[in-house]
Amino acid sequence: MDFVAVMMGSKSDWEVMSHCVEVFKKFDVPYEVLITSAHRSPERTKEYIKDAESRGAQVFIGAAGMAAHLAGAIASMTSRPVIGVPLSGGVLDGVDALLSTVQMPSAMPVATMSVGKAGAVNSAYFAMQIMALKNKELFGKLLEDRVMKAKKVELDSSEIEVRVQ
């Protein structure tokens, strides 16, 4: 079964990354969640990636703060798409994680989202867009979600709209 592997560097990252998982639940997309660290448990990270690939992981999401090497470490161990979610923490409040995640060397791509909750949510949507390339049902759900979001904008506007008379 195809699924998305959500990996984070520490338990404290769950507060933000739970928003990613909520999106997968909404769309009935299979996922796994694991805490593993590029620095503190590199063997665990490597073993999980190989195992997850063998069981159908199509996309990996790596979330970490500060040095934020998890997504890059994942990218070094798989040729599957990797999405990085930089998280706040440390003296630079997420800017350090953003730069660590986005500045990958040539031929080691990591699609980098924004810092924090928006990045967590966008990582789920981006992972689903990748999976929807082979899954017409998921593609249809994503299209329907876009239509509903556009309708919500119109509804919200209608509640406060003022036009020149």
Side-chain angles (χ1 to χ4, degrees):
M1 170 188 2
D2 292 348
F3 67 94
V4 179
V6 180
M7 303 165 69
M8 60 195 96
S10 67
K11 188 176 180 181
S12 62
D13 299 338
W14 178 244
E15 183 178 336
V16 172
M17 293 310 293
S18 64
H19 299 286
C20 169
V21 168
E22 289 304 315
V23 174
F24 291 138
K25 287 178 182 177
K26 175 183 170 186
F27 284 86
D28 295 318
V29 170
Y31 65 89
E32 291 185 353
V33 176
L34 181 79
I35 297 172
T36 188
S37 171
H39 301 113
R40 294 182 300 270
S41 60
E43 286 303 313
R44 175 180 168 83
T45 302
K46 183 177 182 178
E47 289 170 11
Y48 175 74
I49 291 166
K50 295 306 170 200
D51 177 61
E53 280 183 332
S54 74
R55 294 182 296 106
Q58 298 299 300
V59 181
F60 289 88
I61 297 174
M66 299 173 72
H69 291 137
L70 183 57
I74 295 167
S76 76
M77 298 175 203
T78 184
S79 293
R80 307 282 170 128
V82 177
I83 303 168
V85 181
L87 300 173
S88 296
V91 70
L92 297 178
D93 200 30
V95 174
D96 46 356
L98 175 63
L99 294 175
S100 292
T101 306
V102 78
Q103 299 215 13
M104 292 298 298
S106 173
M108 287 293 139
V110 170
T112 305
M113 301 295 117
S114 59
V115 176
K117 180 181 174 182
V121 169
N122 284 341
S123 73
Y125 274 94
F126 192 58
M128 291 188 305
Q129 288 174 335
I130 293 167
M131 293 182 72
L133 293 170
K134 296 189 324 184
N135 182 329
K136 290 182 182 188
E137 181 182 348
L138 180 57
F139 184 76
K141 288 180 180 180
L142 287 168
L143 288 177
E144 183 179 320
D145 184 65
R146 290 264 175 120
V147 169
M148 296 307 296
K149 283 180 174 27
K151 286 180 180 179
K152 180 163 180 2
V153 168
E154 292 175 19
L155 178 64
D156 289 349
S157 181
S158 72
E159 293 174 3
I160 63 169
E161 245 175 57
V162 176
R163 297 197 181 225
V164 175
Q165 303 286 327

